[in-house]
Amino acid sequence: MSEITIRALGTDEWETYRSVRLSSLEESPEAFAASAAQEKDYDEDFWRTRLERSRRLIAQDGDDIVGVVSVGDRSTDEARVGELFGLWVTPRLRGQGVAWKLVEAGVEKAKQESYKFLLYWVGTDNGRAVAFASSFGFRPTDSRRPMKGATEDTQDDDEMAMVYPLGDDPSSVPSSVLD
């Protein structure tokens, strides 16, 4: 493994984002609400809109894209809140710090965009993800929701909101943001 670099995708890099998104959906279908079959036929406008709507950060090992994470906006009138989502790392590099670097870059991007908090929804039964987010500094909240994209087998699964304070005031995230 060479040095892992993290960079934000520009809106003109929709094909790059499409490629890593489809790879993540194919490799880890249980981790996402959507499927590769659903997204593979979306047109260029769809992918460009996604890139404009949220910041997409990729991890690269040389020229190979080995991970991705997104930072979107969940702000309300009460607070400026970002959301971290779509985290994925290629299996061969899991456990080697790539996810950490992606989340770290996501936190920095959220700070640059003046968010006060960053939310990360994690499956309540995904102990590894909860432990990872906790080790980074995300804290669990009481907010739960049904797992997005639930199937018959997973219809009772929940996600919990974990929160990371980004400013000097680590007070609670307004409940309206967690709905």
Side-chain angles (χ1 to χ4, degrees), residues 10-171:
T11 56
D12 60 328
E13 294 181 280
W14 68 272
E15 290 173 296
T16 301
Y17 177 62
R18 179 186 185 274
S19 177
V20 69
R21 171 70 177 173
L22 293 177
S23 292
S24 67
L25 292 172
E26 288 168 359
E27 191 282 319
S28 298
E30 72 289 346
F32 298 96
S35 71
Q38 291 170 318
E39 295 194 4
K40 70 179 174 73
D41 293 327
Y42 290 157
D43 65 10
E44 178 179 339
D45 287 339
F46 173 86
W47 294 103
R48 285 184 181 277
T49 299
R50 270 197 171 172
L51 281 168
E52 292 167 3
R53 187 178 65 212
S54 300
R55 306 302 157 256
R56 312 299 172 154
L57 307 171
I58 59 168
Q60 290 185 262
D61 182 8
D63 291 334
D64 295 332
I65 298 174
V66 296
V68 63
V69 73
S70 298
V71 178
D73 187 6
R74 288 280 304 229
S75 297
T76 67
D77 291 341
E78 298 173 289
R80 182 138 170 79
V81 178
E83 181 175 12
L84 189 77
F85 63 98
L87 177 61
W88 176 81
V89 174
T90 191
R92 73 178 173 85
L93 294 178
R94 288 181 187 159
Q96 296 186 39
V98 177
W100 190 275
K101 286 183 175 190
L102 282 164
V103 172
E104 192 171 55
V107 164
E108 287 306 310
K109 180 60 76 177
K111 285 179 181 177
Q112 290 169 7
E113 295 185 13
S114 302
Y115 290 114
K116 300 299 180 197
F117 301 95
L118 193 59
L119 290 180
Y120 183 35
W121 288 91
V122 179
T124 54
D125 66 340
N126 189 342
R128 186 173 177 184
V130 171
F132 169 76
S134 295
S135 72
F136 195 90
F138 283 86
R139 295 295 168 243
T141 68
D142 291 334
S143 185
R144 304 285 189 273
R145 69 182 185 192
M147 184 77 73
K148 288 186 175 180
T151 65
E152 250 182 62
D153 295 338
T154 63
Q155 65 188 359
D156 294 329
D157 292 351
D158 286 336
E159 294 178 300
M160 78 170 143
M162 297 187 75
V163 64
Y164 187 89
L166 296 169
D168 295 332
D169 178 14
S171 61

